[in-house]
Amino acid sequence: MEARSKTALHVTLTINGVARNASIEPCVTLLDLLREEFHLTGTKKGCDHGQCGACTVLVNGTRINSCLVLAVSRNGSEITTIEGIGTPNELHPLQEAFVRHDALQCGYCTPGQICSAMGLISEGRAKTRDEIREAMSGNLCRCGAYIGIVDAIEEVIAAPKRKTVP
């Protein structure tokens, strides 16, 4: 996303702990900035209307649909994407729980599900299975792995407290 006109604006974001800068058009969404400029393709473009949750990331610790947010409106923010949660050699406890509970099938929604679950856990409001289901209702899974997703989140909530947000 190179500056294409005189309307390009400069943004600075801390993404997964790394300061990043870009010159972008005012209409660029946070989702498109993450995927196209910074090549963080773990965040998925699903419906592009904020209805599926595949694009969920954490902004200053709060879960949002990145397809609905203009990147310039989050200038100076801390963004956590799936790439900032665990590593292939050292998974985050929530990622481990997703694997253990078979909380994924095709995997397309999984990054958004995990980022949303991270936000849900840090919010501390969902304690029961029904509350978890309600709090995760904005994240759709076309494969129907909902039982495993709820089981994984419930396990992490019930586990002795450890760092759940990077």
Side-chain angles (χ1 to χ4, degrees), residues 133-148:
R133 278 191 206 96
E134 177 64 28
M136 292 294 291
S137 65
N139 290 82
L140 303 180
C141 173
R142 297 209 44 191
C143 298
Y146 295 114
I147 292 172

Side-chain angles (χ1 to χ4, degrees), residues 1 4-11 23-30 69-73:
M1 270 185 239
R4 293 177 288 251
S5 72
K6 292 180 182 180
T7 60
L9 300 172
H10 180 77
V11 293
S23 290
I24 58 172
E25 295 294 316
C27 62
V28 172
T29 64
L30 180 57
V69 175
L70 296 176
V72 296
S73 73

Side-chain angles (χ1 to χ4, degrees), residues 94-137:
L94 187 58
Q95 292 169 313
E96 291 174 345
F98 264 63
V99 171
R100 222 176 0 269
H101 291 282
D102 199 24
L104 55 128
Q105 287 182 31
C106 80
Y108 195 82
C109 74
T110 306
Q113 296 279 359
I114 289 174
C115 285
S116 188
M118 295 286 287
L120 173 150
I121 291 166
S122 70
E123 290 164 11
R125 293 188 306 224
K127 307 282 189 233
T128 68
R129 289 183 71 80
D130 286 340
E131 290 170 341
I132 293 169
R133 278 191 206 96
E134 177 64 28
M136 292 294 291
S137 65

Side-chain angles (χ1 to χ4, degrees), residues 15-18 20 30-31 33-36 38-45 54-58 66 79-92 95 110-112 114-115 118 166:
I15 303 173
N16 301 325
V18 177
R20 301 208 184 207
L30 180 57
L31 172 62
L33 178 67
L34 292 169
R35 290 182 58 80
E36 296 173 21
F38 300 129
H39 309 289
L40 296 169
T41 57
T43 304
K44 302 301 184 210
K45 185 176 272 203
C55 67
T56 304
V57 297
L58 299 170
S66 61
I79 313 295
T80 303
T81 69
I82 192 65
E83 291 90 348
I85 301 172
T87 66
N89 294 326
E90 190 174 333
L91 296 178
H92 184 279
Q95 292 169 313
T110 306
I114 289 174
C115 285
M118 295 286 287

